[in-house]
Amino acid sequence: MRQAIALSAGVLFLTNPNPRVGCVIVKDGQVVASGATQAVGGPHAEVMALRQAQERGVDVAGSTVYVTLEPCSHFGRTPPCVDALVAARPARVVIAMSDPNPLVSGRGVARLRAAGIDVSVPVCADEALELNPGFVARMTRKTPWVWVKSAASLDGQTALANGVSQWITGPQARADGHHWRARSCVVLTGLGTVLADDPQLTVREVDTRRQPVRAVVDTHFQVPETARLFDGGRVLVFTCMVNHDKAQRLADRGVQVVVLPERDGHVDLMAVMQWLGANEFNEVHVEAGARLHGTLLQADLVDELLVYFAPMVLGPGQGMFALPGLSVLGGVQRYDFLAPVTIGPDLRVRARRADRWARLLAAVSTDLSGGHVVPAL
Amino acid sequence: MRQAIALSAGVLFLTNPNPRVGCVIVKDGQVVASGATQAVGGPHAEVMALRQAQERGVDVAGSTVYVTLEPCSHFGRTPPCVDALVAARPARVVIAMSDPNPLVSGRGVARLRAAGIDVSVPVCADEALELNPGFVARMTRKTPWVWVKSAASLDGQTALANGVSQWITGPQARADGHHWRARSCVVLTGLGTVLADDPQLTVREVDTRRQPVRAVVDTHFQVPETARLFDGGRVLVFTCMVNHDKAQRLADRGVQVVVLPERDGHVDLMAVMQWLGANEFNEVHVEAGARLHGTLLQADLVDELLVYFAPMVLGPGQGMFALPGLSVLGGVQRYDFLAPVTIGPDLRVRARRADRWARLLAAVSTDLSGGHVVPAL
């Protein structure tokens, strides 16, 4: 299963909005074929592995198939994988995560079992979920998995008071940040960042065949048409107002203007996430200023923090999150720290909402096998 | 050598102001005896190991002795270890660090070599230095090794704006903080912390036979005589003014009032460090508020930062370091991050001044063996 999970990690930048899935076929103690889901519209992992077996002249009958997600049982962009598996007659299928969609969860397993195939599920669900939190979030709660990326000094300053920030963290941390952009479906920023830094928000520091969509939260539709963000590729502008001429000019350049309700003087960010979920965006990489970061935190829309700390102390400057002051510690949201690592001279810290992760894990750990259960927590 | 270093780590809380030293004697491929330096006035590591060999009836002649610091060649509180070694006639002595005192560095090695003993030095100096940065700093630059301990939210807040801070980090992080108190020679705080929190600053969460001295920086000698700090054990008050009656009353309770020059309106902190160095304090554990932490940073007196981050975001509150704002990034002091670890739900980050560490390492890596050199950087 770990090999199947590694294969799914190999298509981390590729399969969106489909889940990243890996599949390994073992016969007589040997790996005889393997595969991973391809770009959208292309074959899924099971089909890739079965095709490889066929090319190699291996009969899959009697084998054990390891797959990181319950095989699909419906016609989507491709025919159901479960049909291909049933036709291949493996003796056993081992599945990391059950299908997170409550409407179809268990159907793939039931079809396999009805064909006389032994099924074990869930197996290593926690590790497999690391590759697909966005897909599982979208299927279960209808909104994407959202992380906020920030880079700061050890005392939490993203820039000096005068705005100087290039470069607090080093090139290795920036490249790692591009890895997180590359795996996301959409890189989201705020108007303030566009005006201050005019970023491209494209993936440049890691190799990828797919660029994520870029998006800007721009309550009053003030984004300059000259922004580098609009230099090609799909871009979304979330706004509460619309200037039809400007929207038309931008639309001609591949920019979609999405008008959403206002809330507390800015675009309703929950509406942004619901729109993204409804439009098949799995993972949202937020890379903005303290204001948007703080507003997302206050709206309780952040699942994970991705913070790069530079080994320096700056003193008063610009913080990571603009928030109102608290008077008690009681209601503070707590995160789980994931294994911290140094990246070049910098430190990368991931902090994840434990409650939300547990909910995703529960959604993919349905006991469908009458035995092999991975506990949800 | 790693076993000898581990033995020195076993007396981390004990030997101050002497260095922590470990010694392992190997004969015919077997460890035949070992030892570590005892509390001040007690035997050093080499003598402990030689005694154990004697008790076990092992003849050390022809053996290899591993020791984490160059054996002393002078009469201090105990007779010179080098005499005991020469008398025991090992074939070879392997030494992690040369003596950091430039006046005696190499004398122990020369005495051993003159007795026909083969000597290798330095070996694993970097790892051995981890156990004794304070001793090496005091010997080479006449001031202690200073770390600042802080506990904060992920956005660098040590408390809410109203001062609420109990408890941002958890009990495991607090216990780890006591480990760092326990290894220090002195726990240093500021008057502000005494007035705000009335801390004891004793070691309670880890086992130790030695309590570090506690000290407060109190420019105008305003510390209340009722402070819990004065509830027993040796305490230092660094001040610029003295009220002789108050000083006498405190002296009767084991408190030493040290009058030092003023600088920029507060006790000259370099003078504090020089006084501590001259009085055999190796490691200073600073646990104070943003003001003293910031003043120490500005005075360039901090060798290491020890920060516990709690997995939460607090928004505006009290920062870790009170510093003036910068306008350029150029002159910012850079640190090296040491391996970060999670401790319970919290994250411990150590950041060390690379330039200063390199200087200490160079001081104990003198090539005395005509070959086996560990490069200083």
Side-chain angles (χ1 to χ4, degrees):
Chain A
M1 185 56 82
R2 295 238 154 74
Q3 201 171 328
I5 292 171
L7 283 166
S8 74
V11 291
L12 193 63
F13 302 162
L14 184 66
T15 69
N16 302 359
N18 286 335
R20 299 101 181 190
V21 180
C23 180
V24 171
I25 303 176
V26 174
K27 195 169 178 182
D28 302 329
Q30 300 285 323
V31 172
V32 293
S34 64
T37 300
Q38 297 303 295
V40 65
H44 292 183
E46 302 90 323
V47 171
M48 289 294 287
L50 291 170
R51 276 188 199 169
Q52 190 181 69
Q54 194 168 29
E55 282 163 17
R56 291 177 175 178
V58 175
D59 183 3
V60 172
S63 68
T64 297
V65 176
Y66 294 87
V67 60
T68 62
L69 180 66
E70 183 177 354
C72 62
S73 55
H74 61 281
F75 275 87
R77 295 184 182 94
T78 63
C81 294
V82 82
D83 292 352
L85 277 175
V86 165
R89 294 179 296 114
R92 187 173 174 223
V93 176
V94 182
I95 299 170
M97 309 193 294
S98 56
D99 193 306
N101 184 342
L103 298 177
V104 301
S105 180
R107 285 197 195 169
V109 170
R111 288 277 304 284
L112 293 171
R113 216 167 263 154
I117 299 168
D118 180 45
V119 181
S120 299
V121 59
V123 172
C124 304
D126 201 27
E127 289 163 63
L129 182 57
E130 293 281 354
L131 280 307
N132 286 301
F135 178 76
V136 176
R138 176 160 71 85
M139 287 295 138
T140 54
R141 67 186 195 197
K142 311 291 181 203
T143 58
W145 184 258
V146 179
W147 61 79
V148 168
K149 181 259 182 189
S150 195
S153 62
L154 198 50
D155 54 335
Q157 306 301 309
T158 61
L160 301 182
N162 62 11
V164 169
S165 69
Q166 283 176 329
W167 298 100
I168 290 177
T169 48
Q172 299 96 327
R174 283 200 297 281
D176 192 75
H178 278 232
H179 166 95
W180 290 88
R181 281 186 188 175
R183 68 172 281 175
S184 75
C185 287
V186 57
V187 176
L188 182 72
T189 194
L191 178 68
T193 299
V194 173
L195 296 179
D197 302 340
D198 195 16
Q200 296 179 270
L201 297 180
T202 49
V203 180
R204 298 180 302 277
E205 307 273 334
V206 295
D207 279 335
T208 181
R209 282 156 56 189
R210 181 192 64 85
Q211 283 286 342
V213 174
R214 288 156 296 150
V216 59
V217 175
D218 176 15
T219 303
H220 302 105
F221 201 28
Q222 295 167 306
V223 62
E225 293 175 54
T226 55
R228 298 208 297 166
L229 199 65
F230 300 131
D231 284 354
R234 186 176 171 203
V235 182
L236 304 170
V237 177
F238 294 108
T239 183
C240 297
M241 320 193 133
V242 78
N243 167 331
H244 289 286
D245 290 347
K246 182 175 175 180
Q248 188 56 53
R249 284 193 301 272
L250 287 172
D252 293 343
R253 297 166 62 197
V255 178
Q256 184 177 0
V257 178
V258 181
V259 182
L260 292 173
E262 188 174 305
R263 188 188 171 99
D264 301 331
H266 52 75
V267 177
D268 181 346
L269 294 170
M270 180 44 129
V272 169
M273 296 309 166
Q274 286 166 338
W275 189 94
L276 288 169
N279 286 275
E280 297 198 318
F281 289 84
N282 296 337
E283 296 178 351
V284 181
H285 174 99
V286 182
E287 193 166 332
R291 221 172 55 179
L292 183 57
H293 290 174
T295 311
L296 283 164
L297 277 179
Q298 277 186 270
D300 207 15
L301 292 171
V302 179
D303 298 303
E304 197 167 320
L305 300 169
L306 174 67
V307 182
Y308 298 88
F309 283 110
M312 58 176 80
V313 174
L314 289 181
Q318 303 183 6
M320 291 191 274
F321 310 99
L323 289 169
L326 298 172
S327 57
V328 290
L329 277 173
V332 172
Q333 289 295 356
R334 286 182 170 271
Y335 297 77
D336 267 357
F337 281 126
L338 308 186
V341 290
T342 53
I343 296 190
D346 303 313
L347 175 68
R348 187 187 76 193
V349 173
R350 292 176 64 196
R352 188 157 70 187
R353 285 284 295 274
D355 51 344
R356 298 196 176 163
W357 186 257
R359 234 171 288 151
L360 298 195
L361 192 56
V364 296
S365 301
T366 316
D367 178 10
L368 300 165
S369 61
H372 316 269
V373 187
V374 172
L377 266 172
Chain B
M1 185 57 81
R2 296 238 153 74
Q3 202 171 326
I5 292 171
L7 284 166
S8 74
V11 291
L12 193 63
F13 302 163
L14 184 65
T15 69
N16 302 2
N18 285 336
R20 300 103 180 187
V21 179
C23 179
V24 171
I25 304 176
V26 174
K27 195 169 177 181
D28 301 329
Q30 301 285 323
V31 172
V32 293
S34 64
T37 300
Q38 298 302 297
V40 64
H44 292 182
E46 302 90 324
V47 171
M48 289 293 287
L50 291 170
R51 277 189 199 168
Q52 190 182 68
Q54 195 169 26
E55 282 162 17
R56 291 177 174 176
V58 176
D59 182 3
V60 171
S63 68
T64 297
V65 175
Y66 294 87
V67 61
T68 61
L69 181 67
E70 183 177 352
C72 61
S73 54
H74 61 283
F75 274 86
R77 294 183 183 93
T78 64
C81 294
V82 83
D83 291 352
L85 277 176
V86 165
R89 292 179 298 116
R92 188 174 173 222
V93 175
V94 182
I95 300 169
M97 307 193 295
S98 56
D99 193 308
N101 183 341
L103 299 177
V104 300
S105 180
R107 286 198 196 169
V109 169
R111 288 277 306 281
L112 293 171
R113 215 167 264 156
I117 299 167
D118 180 46
V119 181
S120 298
V121 59
V123 172
C124 304
D126 202 25
E127 290 163 62
L129 182 57
E130 294 280 354
L131 280 307
N132 286 301
F135 178 76
V136 176
R138 176 162 70 84
M139 288 294 138
T140 54
R141 67 186 195 197
K142 312 291 180 203
T143 58
W145 184 258
V146 179
W147 62 77
V148 168
K149 180 259 184 190
S150 194
S153 62
L154 198 50
D155 54 335
Q157 306 300 309
T158 61
L160 303 181
N162 62 12
V164 168
S165 69
Q166 283 177 329
W167 298 100
I168 290 177
T169 48
Q172 298 96 326
R174 283 199 298 281
D176 192 75
H178 278 231
H179 165 95
W180 290 88
R181 281 187 188 174
R183 68 172 280 176
S184 76
C185 288
V186 57
V187 176
L188 182 72
T189 194
L191 177 68
T193 299
V194 173
L195 296 178
D197 302 340
D198 195 15
Q200 297 179 269
L201 298 180
T202 49
V203 179
R204 299 180 302 277
E205 307 272 335
V206 295
D207 280 334
T208 180
R209 283 156 56 190
R210 182 192 63 86
Q211 283 287 341
V213 174
R214 289 156 297 150
V216 58
V217 174
D218 176 16
T219 304
H220 302 104
F221 201 27
Q222 295 167 305
V223 63
E225 291 175 55
T226 55
R228 297 207 297 166
L229 199 66
F230 299 131
D231 284 355
R234 185 175 171 204
V235 182
L236 305 169
V237 177
F238 294 108
T239 184
C240 296
M241 318 193 135
V242 78
N243 166 333
H244 287 286
D245 290 349
K246 183 174 174 182
Q248 187 56 54
R249 284 193 300 275
L250 287 172
D252 293 343
R253 297 167 62 197
V255 179
Q256 184 176 359
V257 179
V258 180
V259 182
L260 292 173
E262 189 174 305
R263 189 188 170 100
D264 301 332
H266 54 74
V267 177
D268 180 344
L269 294 170
M270 181 43 128
V272 169
M273 296 310 165
Q274 286 166 337
W275 189 94
L276 288 170
N279 285 275
E280 298 198 316
F281 289 84
N282 296 338
E283 295 178 351
V284 181
H285 173 100
V286 183
E287 193 165 333
R291 221 173 53 178
L292 182 55
H293 290 173
T295 312
L296 282 165
L297 276 179
Q298 278 185 270
D300 207 15
L301 292 172
V302 179
D303 298 303
E304 198 166 322
L305 300 169
L306 175 66
V307 182
Y308 298 88
F309 283 111
M312 58 176 79
V313 174
L314 289 181
Q318 303 183 5
M320 291 191 273
F321 310 99
L323 288 170
L326 297 172
S327 57
V328 290
L329 277 173
V332 173
Q333 289 295 357
R334 288 183 168 270
Y335 297 78
D336 267 358
F337 281 126
L338 308 186
V341 291
T342 54
I343 296 190
D346 304 312
L347 175 68
R348 187 187 75 193
V349 173
R350 292 176 63 196
R352 187 157 71 188
R353 284 284 297 274
D355 51 344
R356 298 195 177 164
W357 185 259
R359 236 170 286 151
L360 298 195
L361 192 56
V364 296
S365 302
T366 316
D367 178 10
L368 300 167
S369 61
H372 316 268
V373 187
V374 173
L377 266 171

